[in-house]
Amino acid sequence: MWECENPVDLNESIIDKLPLSLKEVNITGGEPFLHKKINLLVEKLSGRGCKVIINTNGLVKIPTNSPLLKLKRVGIRFSLDGIREAHDSLRGIPGNYKKVIDQIDNLQSAGFTDLGIVSTFSDANCGELEPLYRLSHMLHIGFTCAIAANSELFYKNRGNVFENPDPFIRSLRKIIRSELFSLKMNNLGKALFMNELAHFAAHPAKYLPCSAGKSFFYLAASGEVFACNMRSLPMGNLVENSFKDLWSSSKSQSVRRSTARCDSPCWTMCNAKQIMKDEPATYLLNFCQPWKASHEKN
């Protein structure tokens, strides 16, 4: 995103146009903490009663007296794709890993607890999955993982291919067992998500209808609303329209029909959450059986 020509910063006035029905907002970038009004943006969103997750690379120091740390329902997720030099090498920034760990330590010392690690995997770092998972347990923070995705809209790419996902899948299954054996409901949800992520890494395909543009959407900094961040399916612009008019327009209805038929392979927390909520029986039948079969085989 930082390589885009003439990047636009999100205007805080657009926040006022978002619906009060929002349950969760995920802020990403570029680097959100470079936005001069990040505190105001998060305060506005938090004040509307929704959970706010901020994704950061950890390079911008978050002051321990930041007003964001006093807000309710705000979480911070640090991008880590490896341990020590493995992460620094992937990012091309010496010392990046240490800065992330120092930030986590400082925030925990200040009493802020809603912290997590977000890791993206490919052939370049698939061996880092288990060490990162153990790190999250050692630090007592959350852990979420994904595989490198393609999106001409958001990532400006379409060439990511997982050539040899087998080591990643084997590690992921170990983590799934650990999450299942904890017998905690939240961990069960993570295990189910990771189970399908393992299946998706081996056979990228879409198995259930997507609710992009219906239960979630992607808001670009320009005010343009898209069904999701994976495909360029614009629904309208909040600078020019109210959210109600945009959401109920014939254009948005057409986009929803397109996403319901979408066969573009992806597996993200956005669509996974809604599938697990709306179609639990179908989800379990489709995703638990492949896990059981592969578990018995291995």
Side-chain angles (χ1 to χ4, degrees):
M1 295 297 286
W2 55 87
E3 294 177 347
C4 296
E5 294 183 10
N6 303 315
V8 176
D9 282 344
L10 180 68
N11 191 301
E12 70 272 16
S13 64
I14 292 177
I15 301 297
D16 297 324
K17 287 193 166 187
L18 292 174
L20 294 173
S21 58
L22 281 178
K23 296 291 190 298
E24 182 174 312
V25 173
N26 191 306
I27 299 179
T28 184
E31 170 51 50
F33 284 105
L34 286 175
H35 196 296
K36 294 179 180 179
K37 295 185 177 180
I38 184 63
N39 290 356
L40 176 60
L41 293 175
V42 177
E43 286 171 358
K44 276 178 170 283
L45 288 166
S46 178
R48 297 167 77 85
C50 59
K51 172 83 172 182
V52 183
I53 299 295
I54 310 169
N55 291 279
T56 177
N57 60 22
L59 292 174
V60 179
K61 185 174 178 57
I62 306 169
T64 54
N65 63 350
S66 169
L68 297 184
L69 307 184
K70 298 178 175 61
L71 296 174
K72 294 181 179 179
R73 294 173 59 76
V74 171
I76 300 174
R77 305 292 180 260
F78 290 91
S79 296
L80 270 185
D81 299 324
I83 301 294
R84 300 182 180 86
E85 290 80 8
H87 176 74
D88 294 352
S89 175
L90 283 167
R91 296 281 171 154
I93 304 173
N96 192 171
Y97 176 85
K98 184 178 185 304
K99 287 185 178 181
V100 169
I101 300 302
D102 289 346
Q103 290 251 47
I104 292 172
D105 288 343
N106 291 337
L107 292 172
Q108 288 181 323
S109 297
F112 188 80
T113 58
D114 195 345
L115 298 166
I117 293 171
V118 178
S119 303
T120 302
F121 294 95
S122 66
D123 293 296
N125 68 331
C126 58
E128 298 295 309
L129 174 56
E130 291 180 71
L132 285 166
Y133 179 72
R134 290 194 293 268
L135 175 67
S136 71
H137 276 256
M138 184 182 73
L139 296 175
H140 303 288
I141 62 177
F143 177 77
T144 305
C145 61
I147 59 176
N150 293 295
S151 169
E152 293 184 14
L153 171 64
F154 188 71
Y155 299 113
K156 310 297 182 186
N157 72 338
R158 57 180 177 179
N160 281 326
V161 177
F162 216 149
E163 297 285 356
N164 181 25
D166 290 347
F168 171 78
I169 293 169
R170 286 194 293 269
S171 294
L172 198 54
R173 285 176 178 158
K174 292 180 184 178
I175 294 174
I176 291 169
R177 285 193 286 270
S178 176
E179 296 292 303
L180 287 174
F181 292 155
S182 72
L183 300 179
K184 294 181 180 178
M185 186 57 67
N186 185 50
N187 290 21
L188 173 60
K190 288 197 294 183
L192 290 173
F193 171 78
M194 290 179 178
N195 173 61
E196 177 53 22
L197 184 62
H199 191 75
F200 180 76
H203 307 285
K206 184 165 289 183
Y207 298 99
L208 293 174
C210 183
S211 60
K214 181 180 179 182
S215 62
F216 64 94
F217 62 90
Y218 164 54
L219 171 65
S222 62
E224 194 75 31
V225 174
F226 296 85
C228 68
N229 65 343
M230 294 297 177
R231 297 180 60 198
S232 184
L233 294 171
M235 303 172 76
N237 197 302
L238 285 181
V239 175
E240 304 160 356
N241 304 280
S242 70
F243 190 88
K244 182 179 179 180
D245 289 343
L246 181 155
W247 201 244
S248 60
S249 69
S250 58
K251 184 176 183 179
S252 292
Q253 292 171 19
S254 175
V255 165
R256 291 187 193 101
R257 288 192 293 271
S258 178
T259 59
R261 300 189 302 267
C262 177
D263 60 359
S264 179
C266 69
W267 184 249
T268 69
M269 191 57 74
C270 290
N271 56 15
K273 277 184 178 180
Q274 201 60 33
I275 289 171
M276 286 189 280
K277 178 181 177 181
D278 292 346
E279 303 184 55
T282 306
Y283 184 87
L284 290 172
L285 285 171
N286 277 276
F287 303 149
C288 288
Q289 288 303 314
W291 151 251
K292 181 180 178 183
S294 59
H295 173 64
E296 292 173 347
K297 182 179 179 180
N298 289 279

